[in-house]
Amino acid sequence: MSITRRKKYIGDKDRGVALTVLTDKKLKTNSFIIHFINPLERETAAASAAVAFMLEDTCREYPDITSFSRRLAELYGANIRGGISRFSDSQVITFSGSCISDKYALEGEKVSAELLELLCGCIFDPVTENDSFSEKLFRLKKQELIDDIDADINDKRIYALKKAGEMIFAGEPAGIAVRGERADAEALTCDMVFKAYKKLLSSAKIEIIFVGCELPEECEKMLDEKFSALDRSEVYLPEIKRSPAKSEVINETERLDVTQSKMVMAFKFTERNLPVEKIFTAVYGGTPFSLLFKNVREKLSLCYYCSASLKSKKGVIMVDSGVENANISAAREEILRQLEAVRNGDFSNELLEDSKRYMVSALKSVNDTPRAVADWYYSYCLDSEEETCSPEQFIEKIEAVTKDDVTAFARSVTLDTVYVLTSKED
Amino acid sequence: MKKEIIANERTGEKYTRVLHDSGLEILIWKMEDHSVRHAIFGTRYGSVNTTFKTKDDEDFVTVPNGIAHYLEHKLFENEDTDVFDLYAKTGAFGNAYTSFDKTCYLFSCTDNFIPSLRILLDFVQKPYFTEETVRKEQGIIGQEIRMYDDNPNWRVFFNMLEGIYHENPVKIDIAGTEESIAKINADLLYRCYNTFYDLHNMTLAIAGDVDEEEILALCDEMLIPSENKELISIVPEEPDTVAKKYCEQKLEVAVPLFNLGFKAAPVSNEDSVRCEVLSDIVLALLADETSDFYKKLYDEGLINSTFSSETFSGDGFFVPLFGGESREPEKVSELICGEIRRCMKEGFDKEQFEMIRKSYYGSIIRSLNNPEAVATSLINAGLRRAGDAFSVIEAVASVTLEDAEKFLSERFDPDNCTLSVIMPREGE
């Protein structure tokens, strides 16, 4: 029920390495999440992304996947993963490890400390040869990165969102492919990736988050030692910039061999008021009783799914839908008509209250899931301590949102980009 | 009402099992300090249950595919309102799903648990459909079926099932086909509802910081006593051998996808947990990241990190399978079959076996972390009608290397498997 939180910097604050400790006795697992926040640039995106693949399943002590995996199995099936994601206009390379908390170990093993040692081995002590990564491992990992980029097309919903993103954020870092383009990945060399790795260690903003039952003392000591020994220079300071609205709506249609179409409509806004943004998104299309779900899906059967999601830091709301080819323009009209309804205050107080209740319930659940609570505080990592809000504090802000707030916000929202993925024949 | 405490020494955990007078089994696992409360109301009725009889029927009847899923959609709609609107008043997140052998209605909430449970118990026991509302749903479900036509991961799996099974309805999409759902009408829905939504065929599973007395009082008030209809559901006679050894389809993918499934004899409810655990362990011994064989495939560039395995099993079907992306799926398939033959002859490595068992134990402990996962383990145990929610952890603790070797030789027949492949479209 109650999460205890503390945050500290490892070394001077301007070294840009922070540790957030989130503990709750009820949790049965311990997790370490280490984010390297890095500029998102076309020239370096693929190389930094490859680092996530390079480091996630080997280290000097366990130099091949078999010995590494066996070590994880011994630690009661602990896991370590590398990940690549966005944070507004930045690229984030994340290494995380999770295990059962020590009290469940059958023979009193210090599972958490042993897991952290392995995770630190991946990050600080990888398999190298001649001052670079192992060439053989690099070749396999490069292919993995290419396959991973290629696999986007397997899920048409994700593919449509990715393609739409390129258009919505054209000219901004947020519009750059987060793992680089396929051609960039193909052009990678082992040295390029090693250089990107060194750059992450020296210059990325580093956010370490522990979430679990209890952070063992030896783990905190290990984190302090490892991260304060890093040679840091030119530390990256991410900026949060709203995406500028386009002067006219961009419409783009792509044709592939598919039976059903996907449509992504992006709206932009400049006002900054997170609770109002969230309630607007919920009322419009964020819940199964929202205007979009009720009208576009249930009443008119135009889409199999149609929902709104918020990218607050970029000032964007996306409506993404799965739609029959014949219904594309009708769905587009109806989605816009429902926005008009919100602008005109043409929705019930009941819907507003239901949406708030839905949001409050979601906020109260955050503390029950380790990853959710870690992500909650991570989203505030660029904000000051005063600006950082707990889920409980955010509930109060949600309760205070009025219908006028929502309609006023809706009026500030403008259509920016419409991307349609459809079949080859009409 | 019959009440018992199911406790487990190994984990120190316990829950309550109640056999309610209405015929319903109720499982309650109290988890203090958690904000989320999770409830699942499930019936032993999934897409495979298309041939059945009750004590009122003279003979078995066979109905069109897709009714279990169709019913799930329709129950979510009351006569005057939609279930989502009701949950909106309590702040609960409601949902439902239909699988091959069960249908479950669930919600999770932080406040208003009892009012939310009242909604759940009410709508699942109160079907309402007319010819008109049934027809309207055909549009949405048709769209749902077509959506999966574009999903290569879904297609590669169902193509494999079509290869493995001749007659078993498990090979048909859970939602049915556009032809089969066209045959569904209100009468058929009521018939299947009355057969499978008999409380004797259902379980209610609850996990979270809840009050048992309050729950049972609400159940006394809400549950409509039902007569045990002695339902029997059967799957058609199925030959032992696979229907096709190879199936291929072309879709929008960059790298070919494959599933390789082994046709194994179905197991009884009593044996299901032990067999699933053994199958998972054997799959891991053969080719998970702890095996030398995985490294060999990986180093040769034959597989990438999407390679994985699972045990697909349930009422009348049992298929251990491997899947992932590969540029040479047929070669991977041959090598896997070769590795199986090698292990049948030479046996498994004891050290690796112990490691995998430890890892399995850890994954179970981790799954006890939140009420949703706990409620899910309860409903699975309840609807299985054998063992309890600790059967998995006990099976993991008790199986031996010899059991795993025996299981391999009995249920992984390299000559009785199906390789399903999704190839990229040509010229792209």
Side-chain angles (χ1 to χ4, degrees):
Chain A
M1 202 77 100
S2 57
I3 289 271
T4 312
R5 165 178 171 264
R6 70 184 163 90
K7 181 169 181 171
K8 72 169 192 182
Y9 291 92
I10 296 183
D12 291 338
K13 191 177 172 186
D14 56 14
R15 289 181 79 251
V17 183
L19 168 65
T20 301
V21 179
L22 301 161
T23 49
D24 187 339
K25 289 279 174 240
K26 71 167 181 269
L27 297 175
K28 295 183 169 69
T29 57
N30 284 341
S31 306
F32 301 91
I33 302 157
I34 305 178
H35 297 292
F36 291 84
I37 307 174
N38 182 43
L40 182 49
E41 291 160 353
R42 172 79 198 259
E43 297 70 36
T44 56
S48 310
V51 175
F53 286 91
M54 281 306 301
L55 304 187
E56 71 174 346
D57 51 19
T58 51
C59 62
R60 188 185 302 278
E61 201 181 348
Y62 300 96
D64 60 75
I65 190 161
T66 316
S67 60
F68 189 87
S69 304
R70 287 183 169 214
R71 178 68 184 140
L72 284 171
E74 277 167 8
L75 298 174
Y76 296 91
N79 61 58
I80 287 181
R81 294 190 212 300
I84 305 145
S85 60
R86 299 173 188 276
F87 190 93
S88 189
D89 281 310
S90 303
Q91 179 198 42
V92 187
I93 308 301
T94 305
F95 298 96
S96 55
S98 160
C99 60
I100 59 172
S101 69
D102 295 359
K103 68 177 175 205
Y104 290 99
L106 296 171
E107 285 145 41
E109 302 101 311
K110 295 194 176 230
V111 186
S112 304
E114 290 178 38
L115 172 71
L116 181 60
E117 205 172 318
L118 193 59
L119 181 61
C120 286
C122 295
I123 296 172
F124 296 105
D125 205 8
V127 184
T128 55
E129 55 189 34
N130 309 323
D131 218 18
S132 189
F133 289 126
S134 135
E135 183 67 35
K136 187 178 160 226
L137 186 64
F138 166 73
R139 278 200 306 274
L140 291 167
K141 293 297 186 179
K142 175 174 160 178
Q143 190 59 51
E144 281 238 24
L145 173 62
I146 295 169
D147 288 352
D148 196 49
I149 294 171
D150 281 347
D152 284 347
I153 198 152
N154 293 1
D155 185 331
K156 305 301 177 288
R157 185 174 188 174
I158 288 174
Y159 177 81
L161 283 167
K162 170 178 136 172
K163 294 304 287 282
E166 291 170 11
M167 280 151 223
I168 298 164
F169 303 113
E172 301 171 65
I176 296 169
V178 74
R179 291 159 301 181
E181 300 293 340
R182 188 183 208 276
D184 305 334
E186 280 177 335
L188 288 177
T189 64
C190 193
D191 286 342
M192 284 162 79
V193 179
F194 195 69
K195 215 175 124 198
Y197 159 65
K198 288 290 184 191
K199 185 92 195 299
L200 283 178
L201 291 185
S202 67
S203 308
K205 180 177 168 57
I206 302 175
E207 286 290 324
I208 306 165
I209 300 170
F210 168 83
V211 57
C213 179
E214 181 178 27
L215 176 62
E217 231 170 85
E218 63 266 35
C219 291
E220 183 157 354
K221 203 165 147 246
M222 201 187 312
L223 287 168
D224 283 341
E225 276 171 17
K226 295 277 185 192
F227 283 89
S228 55
L230 272 182
D231 196 3
R232 302 279 287 166
S233 62
E234 292 168 55
V235 174
Y236 173 58
L237 263 181
E239 269 183 285
I240 299 296
K241 275 195 200 133
R242 289 288 157 115
S243 180
K246 297 186 181 69
S247 50
E248 58 185 277
V249 177
I250 302 286
N251 290 289
E252 178 77 26
T253 298
E254 181 175 350
R255 292 184 183 276
L256 280 179
D257 230 322
V258 291
T259 56
Q260 203 181 46
S261 300
K262 308 284 171 197
M263 176 163 64
V264 180
M265 296 172 75
F267 301 88
K268 289 186 181 168
F269 57 91
T270 49
E271 195 187 331
R272 182 153 174 74
N273 188 330
L274 190 55
V276 176
E277 293 163 25
K278 288 206 179 221
I279 291 296
F280 164 79
T281 309
V283 167
Y284 182 40
T287 73
F289 46 85
S290 64
L291 294 172
L292 292 182
F293 191 90
K294 280 280 171 195
N295 292 289
V296 184
R297 182 187 138 123
E298 300 284 281
K299 197 163 139 203
L300 301 170
S301 297
L302 289 172
C303 297
Y304 175 63
Y305 64 84
C306 180
S307 66
S309 57
L310 171 69
K311 292 198 175 302
S312 174
K313 291 189 166 59
K314 292 302 293 172
V316 170
I317 285 159
M318 301 223 223
V319 172
D320 102 281
S321 53
V323 50
E324 294 292 306
N325 300 349
N327 293 339
I328 293 173
S329 61
R332 176 177 170 146
E333 267 174 48
E334 188 59 28
I335 289 166
L336 291 173
R337 187 174 305 132
Q338 294 306 323
L339 175 62
E340 212 43 48
V342 188
R343 286 175 172 157
N344 296 333
D346 195 6
F347 62 93
S348 64
N349 278 324
E350 210 181 336
L351 175 58
L352 178 72
E353 291 310 315
D354 290 348
S355 303
K356 283 189 192 178
R357 203 176 296 116
Y358 188 86
M359 195 61 71
V360 167
S361 193
L363 288 162
K364 285 187 178 170
S365 326
V366 167
N367 287 349
D368 266 19
T369 315
R371 189 67 200 217
V373 74
D375 286 348
W376 176 271
Y377 288 104
Y378 166 56
S379 77
Y380 283 99
C381 73
L382 300 182
D383 299 311
S384 69
E385 199 53 30
E386 294 70 49
E387 289 164 316
T388 304
C389 204
S390 68
E392 294 81 4
Q393 289 164 323
F394 200 79
I395 288 172
E396 289 170 32
K397 298 186 181 187
I398 287 288
E399 304 277 17
V401 175
T402 67
K403 189 169 175 180
D404 285 346
D405 293 336
V406 176
T407 54
F409 178 79
R411 284 195 286 271
S412 79
V413 162
T414 56
L415 182 61
D416 184 88
T417 304
V418 182
Y419 166 85
V420 175
L421 171 66
T422 189
S423 62
K424 284 189 168 151
E425 309 107 51
D426 278 320
Chain B
M1 193 163 73
K2 233 177 73 192
K3 189 162 140 179
E4 59 179 325
I5 307 290
I6 316 272
N8 180 259
E9 260 180 52
R10 205 175 296 276
T11 53
E13 304 281 352
K14 63 176 191 316
Y15 66 91
T16 305
R17 177 176 184 269
V18 175
L19 194 55
H20 192 262
D21 295 338
S22 60
L24 182 69
E25 177 189 58
I26 304 167
L27 308 174
I28 305 170
W29 187 319
K30 188 168 172 70
M31 298 173 76
E32 279 164 5
D33 299 332
H34 283 265
S35 325
V36 175
R37 297 160 177 89
H38 199 87
I40 310 174
F41 197 7
T43 169
R44 293 154 53 83
Y45 180 35
S47 63
V48 300
N49 306 111
T50 50
T51 302
F52 53 84
K53 83 187 270 295
T54 66
K55 69 181 167 86
D56 306 329
D57 300 312
E58 275 185 18
D59 204 356
F60 282 94
V61 54
T62 298
V63 297
N65 289 302
I67 293 190
H69 173 259
Y70 213 105
L71 256 178
E72 174 223 307
H73 269 238
K74 293 316 298 171
L75 275 182
F76 242 68
E77 221 171 72
N78 269 358
E79 184 169 354
D80 40 6
T81 165
D82 175 308
V83 171
F84 287 126
D85 293 329
L86 300 172
Y87 281 138
K89 304 299 166 222
T90 64
F93 304 95
N95 212 339
Y97 64 87
T98 308
S99 73
F100 296 93
D101 56 4
K102 55 178 155 295
T103 310
C104 291
Y105 301 84
L106 53 98
F107 72 84
S108 70
C109 68
T110 51
D111 301 309
N112 302 317
F113 177 75
I114 291 292
S116 305
L117 184 60
R118 180 182 288 277
I119 294 169
L120 177 68
L121 296 180
D122 183 54
F123 84 81
V124 175
Q125 295 187 93
K126 203 165 72 186
Y128 172 80
F129 358 92
T130 63
E131 289 307 337
E132 195 199 332
T133 64
V134 171
R135 248 194 323 276
K136 185 171 168 271
E137 203 66 22
Q138 265 160 17
I140 282 284
I141 293 179
Q143 288 189 39
E144 188 176 346
I145 293 170
R146 282 192 294 282
M147 185 173 77
Y148 285 109
D149 286 343
D150 287 332
N151 183 329
N153 289 309
W154 187 263
R155 288 309 333 151
V156 73
F157 179 68
F158 273 94
N159 293 350
M160 177 197 75
L161 291 180
E162 277 171 30
I164 290 180
Y165 290 105
H166 299 257
E167 305 293 338
N168 195 315
V170 74
K171 68 181 184 166
I172 312 284
D173 193 322
I174 291 168
T177 61
E178 291 193 63
E179 299 77 56
S180 78
I181 63 168
K183 292 182 204 144
I184 295 174
N185 58 35
D187 280 349
L188 275 170
L189 289 181
Y190 275 116
R191 167 147 201 187
C192 291
Y193 178 87
N194 290 328
T195 303
F196 290 97
Y197 285 71
D198 173 346
L199 292 178
H200 294 86
N201 195 46
M202 301 177 76
T203 295
L204 173 66
I206 293 168
D209 199 351
V210 292
D211 182 335
E212 199 176 293
E213 295 309 311
E214 267 182 7
I215 293 168
L216 295 177
L218 184 73
C219 286
D220 289 344
E221 179 195 332
M222 299 291 296
L223 294 175
I224 304 163
S226 59
E227 176 202 12
N228 190 345
K229 297 204 192 70
E230 295 162 25
L231 169 65
I232 306 168
S233 175
I234 53 164
V235 287
E237 279 288 310
E238 174 70 35
D240 294 337
T241 52
V242 298
K244 275 179 289 183
K245 292 202 162 192
Y246 183 77
C247 352
E248 184 179 306
Q249 187 184 357
K250 289 187 168 59
L251 280 175
E252 292 275 4
V253 295
V255 180
L257 297 178
F258 74 95
N259 271 186
L260 172 67
F262 296 84
K263 187 169 191 172
V267 299
S268 68
N269 287 345
E270 289 70 28
D271 285 340
S272 65
V273 170
R274 195 170 165 277
C275 288
E276 281 161 22
V277 164
L278 277 169
S279 172
D280 288 344
I281 290 177
V282 168
L283 287 164
L285 283 164
L286 285 169
D288 85 350
E289 290 92 332
T290 65
S291 69
D292 295 327
F293 180 63
Y294 179 96
K295 186 167 185 298
K296 179 174 175 244
L297 294 177
Y298 186 85
D299 285 351
E300 286 178 26
L302 288 169
I303 57 166
N304 60 27
S305 60
T306 60
F307 183 77
S308 65
S309 65
E310 71 168 275
T311 302
F312 173 69
S313 62
D315 199 354
F317 53 93
F318 199 101
V319 182
L321 67 114
F322 294 98
E325 293 178 355
S326 173
R327 286 176 178 75
E328 296 178 69
E330 292 189 66
K331 186 162 179 198
V332 172
S333 162
E334 276 168 35
L335 289 170
I336 290 174
C337 290
E339 179 66 5
I340 290 173
R341 291 193 181 94
R342 187 191 71 78
C343 292
M344 281 176 176
K345 227 185 290 160
E346 297 173 17
F348 288 126
D349 173 33
K350 176 83 182 159
E351 198 189 338
Q352 193 200 355
F353 172 80
E354 289 305 336
M355 230 178 271
I356 286 167
R357 207 150 71 125
K358 204 168 170 187
S359 171
Y360 208 139
Y361 167 80
S363 74
I364 298 169
I365 295 292
R366 282 210 298 263
S367 74
L368 299 176
N369 227 353
N370 69 72
E372 182 178 350
V374 169
T376 305
S377 75
L378 286 179
I379 197 81
N380 289 342
L383 295 179
R384 199 193 308 131
R385 293 291 188 262
D388 58 47
F390 303 112
S391 300
V392 180
I393 206 162
E394 290 307 315
V396 172
S398 67
V399 294
T400 64
L401 180 68
E402 292 66 40
D403 293 335
E405 284 167 350
K406 183 156 176 273
F407 195 85
L408 174 77
S409 57
E410 282 171 0
R411 289 179 191 269
F412 284 69
D413 182 354
D415 295 317
N416 197 24
C417 58
T418 297
L419 174 66
S420 160
V421 178
I422 301 291
M423 294 297 279
R425 289 189 194 277
E426 277 152 33
E428 279 171 350

